[in-house]
Amino acid sequence: MKNNIILIGFMGVGKGTLARALAKKSSKFAIDTDDLIESLENRKIKKIFALEGEKYFRALEQKTANWIEDSVNNTIISVGGGFFKVDNLKKLGKVIYLESSFDGILNRILSSENAEKKLKKRPLFQVPADAKKLYNERITIYKNIADITINVENKKTESIIKNIMKLA
Ligand code: S3P
């Protein structure tokens, strides 16, 4: 079993923010699968979805998962909201699901300084009603696949990190 921590959860729940805070606290590196994919393709996720479609993007997620399995250890890894679909997730490290209600996630995005940017860059979060449907389809899957579930709604980064470090 690898010594990575994998943060999964719905779009906008704060995976990247928490990964970086956790990395700082534990003197490890944090990486993000969307960032890795953008560097691999030298273009934004939004563009990849628009020009190549979701299936192509999912194949890039699998390629990223394979690279992590082969080459990454001792790292905090935040992943895209649909990354749980890769076939080797459980081999990549300890999987932590960051749980929040859909309204909690929407509020988190809308109350952030760059809310518009945060929504724009996410092709599957363009219509809130569609995103909510996707959320409802996925929540049980996230929970079932995770080693640990941590509720993050209305919690401060510092207290979530403490919780993760205690449980992971
Ligand atoms: C997706 C989530 C996004 C990104 C892509 C697809 C999804 O990542 O990977 O837009 O299927 O939930 P975030 O969870 O970081 O927004």
Side-chain angles (χ1 to χ4, degrees):
M1 174 81 163
K2 286 183 162 280
N3 194 21
N4 297 312
I5 287 181
I6 317 290
L7 299 182
I8 69 164
F10 201 66
M11 292 175 271
V13 78
K15 291 163 288 183
T17 304
L18 283 167
R20 286 187 292 274
L22 202 54
K24 173 102 170 92
K25 200 83 177 177
S26 54
S27 284
K28 292 182 179 177
F29 285 103
I31 58 175
D32 178 88
T33 58
D34 282 346
D35 291 346
L36 292 168
I37 288 170
E38 289 188 345
S39 71
L40 184 68
E41 287 274 306
N42 193 21
R43 52 184 172 168
K44 296 286 182 194
I45 303 288
K46 193 180 162 193
K47 200 149 208 180
I48 300 172
F49 262 79
L51 297 180
E52 317 289 352
E54 183 170 347
K55 199 168 168 217
Y56 180 91
F57 176 75
R58 298 299 171 206
L60 291 173
E61 290 195 307
Q62 185 62 60
K63 185 172 176 174
T64 308
N66 296 345
W67 174 75
I68 292 169
E69 186 180 350
D70 290 344
S71 312
V72 182
N73 208 3
N74 210 27
T75 297
I76 317 289
I77 306 172
S78 53
V79 306
F83 192 85
F84 66 87
K85 296 174 192 210
V86 300
D87 61 20
N88 53 348
L89 183 74
K90 300 291 278 186
K91 290 188 189 156
L92 306 184
K94 190 165 270 186
V95 179
I96 300 182
Y97 168 41
L98 305 177
E99 183 184 48
S100 166
S101 70
F102 182 78
D103 287 345
I105 290 170
L106 195 57
N107 283 339
R108 181 178 179 276
I109 295 177
L110 295 179
S111 62
S112 82
E113 259 174 39
N114 45 358
E116 206 178 323
K117 198 173 152 211
K118 282 198 162 147
L119 283 174
K120 258 196 184 151
K121 73 171 191 179
R122 296 184 159 106
L124 301 180
F125 215 131
Q126 297 311 297
V127 180
D130 294 347
K132 185 167 185 174
K133 189 165 169 274
L134 195 59
Y135 170 90
N136 285 330
E137 284 165 16
R138 284 180 177 175
I139 37 175
T140 335
I141 309 176
Y142 288 137
K143 214 165 193 157
N144 287 340
I145 210 164
D147 297 305
I148 299 167
T149 295
I150 291 182
N151 191 286
V152 299
E153 192 160 345
N154 294 325
K155 302 218 165 60
K156 292 220 160 59
T157 302
E158 195 62 27
S159 87
I160 302 168
I161 285 171
K162 272 195 193 138
N163 213 354
I164 295 177
M165 287 177 95
K166 197 168 66 192
L167 297 171

